Amino acid sequence: MLRKLRLTLALVVFVLITGLFLDFTGTLHAWLGWLAKIQFLPALLALNLAVVLFLVILTLLFGRIYCSVICPLGIFQDIVSWLSGRRKKKKYRFSYSPEVKWLRYSVLAIFLIALAAGVGSLVALLAPYSSYGRIAQNLFSPVYILGNNLLAYFSERIGSYAFYGKEVWLRSLPTFIIAACTFAIIVVLAWKNGRTYCNTICPVGTILGLISRFSLLHPVIDTAKCKNCSLCSRQCKAACIDYKNHNIDYSRCVSCMDCIDSCKHDALHLQWRWKKDVAPHEEKKDMRVAQEQIDSARRTFLVGTAMVTTSMALAQEKKKVDGGLAVIEDKIAPKRTTPLTPPGSVSADNMAHHCTACQLCVAECPNDVLRPSTDLMKLMQPTMSYEKGYCRPECTRCSQVCPAGAILPITRAEKSATQIGHAVWIKKNCIPLRDGVECGNCARHCPTGAITMIPSDVSNPDSPKVPAVNTERCIGCGACENLCPARPFSAIYVEGHEMHRIV
């Protein structure tokens, strides 16, 4: 019964969290946004002490139930492992393996050092929730949107507009490659050995594993009833049951209840920690082993990692308009001295230290402004660019969905007064001077009135008019850059600010 309850809850949570990354309309977040906020690392970075304390208490009570019911990457591994078992038609296919201490605690040490040093790209690479978020955003979302576009196509043909199409495009090639590699590693490990990734690489699993050694309720082997049949060990996807010595490694046990369900001799059952076991010497042995493992974790330390990524840009196919008679060249992003960070992120430093690169804000951005950074130190963290759209002052969706405190919630009024950057005019690209025709697009569409058209020659009022930017009023929304007709580089672009300010 406990196993069925766990499976039901896990499946519901997995579907709903996946829906957060697939729902480009933003409707699910009003009801389900809390599921992202109860993930361990985002809650820790957001200093959401209530959630962190809740997860710690939950682990102290029931062990690593978080990994089986709340963490989407852990549930994803269970799904892959179940599919593997169905295909191989083998119900009992696992076996006990000793803990790989050096790898497990070395990865944790690297993770903690990167977290303290603010190396966000390395933290994001190892964080389980963020890893699944990148998989969902880069691999699952395009398939989902293509299906939506197909429905939109057919519904439009019958006069219905229940669905609307959305463009599918590659936001960042390096992030896509990392997501694809993570997906491949997770699938291979889970297909062969179940929870190997959780118990050797995942730093959150290791942290919760240290706490779960002291969980109050955990599975216990009754040595008087155990027949050493090994069914529990062969059913354990965490490979943590040593049936020969009647020992369970609680730091790797994910409280899935599969072992209890598989035991045919009633030798496995949940037991409170303070209740005496039928074999007290075994409990003392477990405590001694646990203490040795904790001491080993403190001694184990590994410094250094290698990350190889590519920063190539994928050229998009040129679009045709006006019945295919005119070809509009796609815009190319300018080289900004200071990258743009979303309103609500306060500063580039706050973004770097809090963002887990889960891609939830990227998935939610309705204007296609946010995309993963290709900067090695901030790899996969969101940055802004205005080739596809601009950051509309009335939109605050990214600030409402961030679970880690990297983008703080702001109101529309606060966003309209927040300066994330300022516009810069590029004379050589400006159409009135380059082509000799009137323009003024940037001034017409500036929501703050920060751009005024003035004569290019102050001594000649009839000379072509060019934009003049009032940097004190500009908020860096990018309307001017996005709507500038100059191609491939806009005649006006937004330069970011390290620290946001109120105008």
Side-chain angles (χ1 to χ4, degrees), residues 49 99 113 147 180 237 262 288-289 315 340 345 434 467 483:
L49 300 182
E99 179 185 16
I113 291 171
K237 57 198 171 193
S262 66
R288 185 172 65 254
V289 171
L340 291 158
S345 60
R434 188 183 67 183
L483 297 169

Side-chain angles (χ1 to χ4, degrees), residues 319-399:
K319 301 174 185 177
K320 292 185 177 182
V321 298
D322 297 335
L325 300 178
V327 176
I328 297 180
E329 192 172 6
D330 285 338
K331 283 197 173 187
I332 298 177
K335 292 183 179 180
R336 308 180 205 273
T337 304
T338 304
L340 291 158
T341 57
S345 60
V346 182
S347 66
D349 184 67
N350 180 73
M351 174 67 74
H353 282 81
H354 287 82
C355 180
T356 64
C358 70
Q359 312 295 303
L360 191 55
C361 58
V362 176
E364 272 299 297
C365 181
N367 303 307
D368 292 331
V369 168
L370 293 178
R371 70 279 314 272
S373 173
T374 56
D375 182 0
L376 188 60
M377 293 302 294
K378 302 174 183 178
L379 189 65
M380 301 179 293
Q381 293 185 353
T383 187
M384 303 173 72
S385 201
Y386 302 126
E387 294 78 66
K388 298 283 185 178
Y390 66 93
C391 192
R392 297 180 181 272
E394 70 274 10
C395 176
T396 60
R397 275 167 60 174
C398 64
S399 74

